[in-house]
Amino acid sequence: MTSHTAQLQPDTAVAVSPKVRWREIGDESVLVDLAAGEYFGLNEVGTAILEQLMTGATLGQVCATLVETFEVEPDRAWSDLVELVGELLSRGLVKVTPVRGAPVPEGGGAAES
Amino acid sequence: MAREAARSWLPVFAGDAWVGGQETSVRCEQSGGLLRVACAGARAFVIAPDGERIEAEAGIESGLSELETEILIGPALLLALARRGVYALHAAAVTAGGGVVALVGESGAGKSTLAKPAGPVWKRVADDILPFSLVRGAPVALPHYPQLKLPAEAQYPRDAASPLGLAGVCEIGPPSQDGQVYVEELSPQAGALCLISHTVAARLFPEDLLSEHLEVCASMAAGMKVARLRCPRTLEALPSARQAVTDRFSATGR
């Protein structure tokens, strides 16, 4: 588990950076990091995850949608979700947002793992 | 002049890039819609926000050096075209099947070799740079661009038709291991990434151009074929490869 994925919990929500543009193409999508000029392809599952994240859904809610939509085991859905969000976090394409109504922990917004 | 001196330029790109066949230090900056491209040892060029005008910063009374000419018809012109919604593939291109097929691939993949004229249908229209755009939603190629790798008599004729319908893009992939020729169609998403990765000078694009470029490449990939050719890297395989490309891009529909 990396430092990026360690902070990811079911009640975590993330905000997509304003420096990201995203274009759906069929069931998949392409994402461009305007700051770095780098492009990324997202498959069908990745596209569904990003779509949900952009609505403000928590990772737990996104995971539940994945389980229902793609008929996968919850562990597998959570693992794929954390892997993608961790990758996006490491590249600065998303950032963790404070959980609504939750006390702000000392030293920052990351939840303990 | 005093007003120009006060203009502040924001960096877009700074690094080494290929200009006129040599690697040189290139800097691209922006200011209020203007783009400025500068290479070491040459005057800078400023591109108007609408892409209608390119100016040499210190004037051109003394003429252009060879490097400055390369910059002008290279990154400066490519940025001006991009401002007008026209992007360029690093590609050879031929007429085959239902229109122009752009042949893209890494350096040494065999684009120029494959694009050599062969027979009544397979005609070369570009051998390095192929501008492309969407016209009323349809992908088109604009072959009237100076092809520095071709002699004057091999350039696309000035009086020949343009724009031409772009039937698709064929990426030359790794050689096949079994001696067979394959032309495999890519998904629209992989096709868009293919167009993006083979677009010339995209590293110089500011954020607004990156967004527009993504949109154009995604729309094009959704509306035309993008495929990957895999075949042996031998001269004997060329006729089969050309036939396979022609067949693939002649077939109707996506």
Side-chain angles (χ1 to χ4, degrees), chain B residues 94-95 98-100 125 130-131 133 138-143 156 160-167:
Chain B
V94 295
T95 55
V100 170
V125 298
L130 182 72
S133 187
V140 298
L142 300 123
Y156 189 70
S162 179
L164 301 174
L166 184 58

Side-chain angles (χ1 to χ4, degrees), chain B residues 155-203:
Chain B
Q155 299 285 326
Y156 189 70
R158 282 187 183 182
D159 57 353
S162 179
L164 301 174
L166 184 58
V169 174
C170 186
E171 183 178 58
I172 302 175
S176 63
Q177 301 300 315
D178 59 4
Q180 300 297 306
V181 175
Y182 302 94
V183 184
E184 299 151 342
E185 202 159 330
L186 303 181
S187 73
Q189 181 241 44
L193 286 169
C194 176
L195 290 173
I196 287 165
S197 67
H198 292 289
T199 297
V200 189
R203 287 192 297 168

Side-chain angles (χ1 to χ4, degrees), chain A residues 19 21-26 28-43, chain B residues 187-190 192-193 196 202 205-211 213-215 217-219 221-222:
Chain A
K19 293 290 185 184
R21 291 290 178 276
W22 178 60
R23 172 65 149 80
E24 280 187 84
I25 312 171
E28 302 179 310
S29 59
V30 175
L31 181 153
V32 58
D33 175 2
L34 298 176
E38 290 181 349
Y39 296 83
F40 307 92
L42 293 179
N43 63 15
Chain B
S187 73
Q189 181 241 44
L193 286 169
I196 287 165
F205 291 173
E207 292 182 3
D208 60 329
L209 272 184
L210 286 173
S211 289
H213 179 231
L214 170 63
E215 188 60 36
C217 289
S219 297

Side-chain angles (χ1 to χ4, degrees), chain B residues 7-251:
Chain B
R7 182 179 290 282
S8 79
W9 293 95
L10 300 172
V12 176
F13 170 84
D16 291 336
W18 286 91
V19 178
Q22 60 180 350
E23 198 167 33
T24 186
S25 172
V26 177
R27 205 167 63 253
C28 182
E29 299 162 311
Q30 63 177 333
S31 178
L34 291 171
L35 290 173
R36 178 179 186 270
V37 61
C39 295
R43 283 172 289 185
F45 290 88
V46 176
I47 297 103
D50 59 4
E52 293 288 332
R53 199 174 65 255
I54 301 171
E55 289 183 0
E57 212 165 46
I60 55 169
E61 294 78 9
S62 58
L64 296 174
S65 69
E66 192 175 331
L67 175 59
E68 287 166 346
T69 303
E70 302 274 13
I71 298 166
L72 178 61
I73 62 171
L77 182 53
L78 291 166
L79 285 169
L81 287 171
R83 280 288 190 220
R84 300 166 66 170
V86 176
Y87 301 92
L89 290 171
H90 180 210
V94 295
T95 55
V100 170
V101 177
L103 305 171
V104 299
E106 298 304 319
S107 234
K111 301 184 289 290
S112 296
T113 305
L114 185 61
K116 279 181 182 164
V121 176
W122 191 271
K123 296 190 182 303
R124 182 174 55 199
V125 298
D127 193 28
D128 192 26
I129 303 289
L130 182 72
F132 66 94
S133 187
L134 280 172
V135 175
R136 290 183 288 280
V140 298
L142 300 123
H144 284 126
Y145 191 95
Q147 304 293 319
L148 298 180
K149 289 165 67 178
L150 293 180
E153 65 274 15
Q155 299 285 326
Y156 189 70
R158 282 187 183 182
D159 57 353
S162 179
L164 301 174
L166 184 58
V169 174
C170 186
E171 183 178 58
I172 302 175
S176 63
Q177 301 300 315
D178 59 4
Q180 300 297 306
V181 175
Y182 302 94
V183 184
E184 299 151 342
E185 202 159 330
L186 303 181
S187 73
Q189 181 241 44
L193 286 169
C194 176
L195 290 173
I196 287 165
S197 67
H198 292 289
T199 297
V200 189
R203 287 192 297 168
L204 307 184
F205 291 173
E207 292 182 3
D208 60 329
L209 272 184
L210 286 173
S211 289
E212 292 168 19
H213 179 231
L214 170 63
E215 188 60 36
V216 168
C217 289
S219 297
M220 291 189 65
M224 70 177 188
K225 289 176 187 166
V226 183
R228 180 173 295 131
L229 168 69
R230 293 178 59 236
C231 66
R233 294 274 170 85
T234 62
L235 291 175
E236 292 73 29
L238 284 174
S240 303
R242 289 177 181 133
Q243 189 60 53
V245 171
T246 302
D247 292 345
R248 172 61 70 178
F249 287 93
S250 296

